[in-house]
Amino acid sequence: MQITMKDIIDEGFEIIEEVYGANVEAPVNLDDIQDMSLDSFEEGSYDIKMDEQEVYTDNSDTLFSVYLKGENVLLSTTMGRVKIYLEEYFESKE
């Protein structure tokens, strides 16, 4: 059986990519905080320039969680395990 992404979507699956140990760099948008003093410049008190954000995954681990109609069916596992799960799921529906 050839399983397509449309089959997976139509069944109600959602696959979440989880990246552990990635480095994220983004410039702080200083233009938005001109009225704020340096004393009140704290983590989370500013916006970042999302369009200039860089994500480095060279030394990170990528895992996946799978949800079926909003319920978790696989948690933080490999892509290989996700494929096996989906193949077995659709085979059991035949």
Side-chain angles (χ1 to χ4, degrees), residues 3-16 65-74 82 85-90 93:
I3 302 165
T4 67
M5 290 300 121
K6 183 174 179 352
D7 296 330
I8 293 168
I9 292 167
D10 289 349
E11 195 67 22
F13 281 102
E14 182 178 23
I15 300 172
I16 306 296
S65 288
V66 178
Y67 292 81
L68 177 57
K69 298 176 183 163
E71 189 169 326
N72 180 260
V73 293
L74 278 180
V82 169
Y85 173 84
L86 291 170
E87 288 168 356
E88 290 174 350
Y89 176 88
F90 284 99
K93 288 192 65 157

Side-chain angles (χ1 to χ4, degrees), residues 26-76:
V28 172
N29 193 351
L30 297 175
D31 293 333
D32 285 352
I33 55 176
Q34 292 176 0
D35 294 337
M36 190 169 66
S37 68
L38 184 57
D39 289 339
S40 58
F41 181 55
E42 300 289 337
E43 287 182 43
S45 66
Y46 51 84
D47 291 326
I48 60 171
K49 297 179 181 179
M50 293 295 289
D51 56 330
E52 296 180 37
Q53 178 176 301
E54 297 287 339
V55 178
Y56 303 98
T57 59
D58 299 344
N59 297 316
S60 63
D61 294 319
T62 302
L63 299 175
F64 301 87
S65 288
V66 178
Y67 292 81
L68 177 57
K69 298 176 183 163
E71 189 169 326
N72 180 260
V73 293
L74 278 180
L75 182 62
S76 301

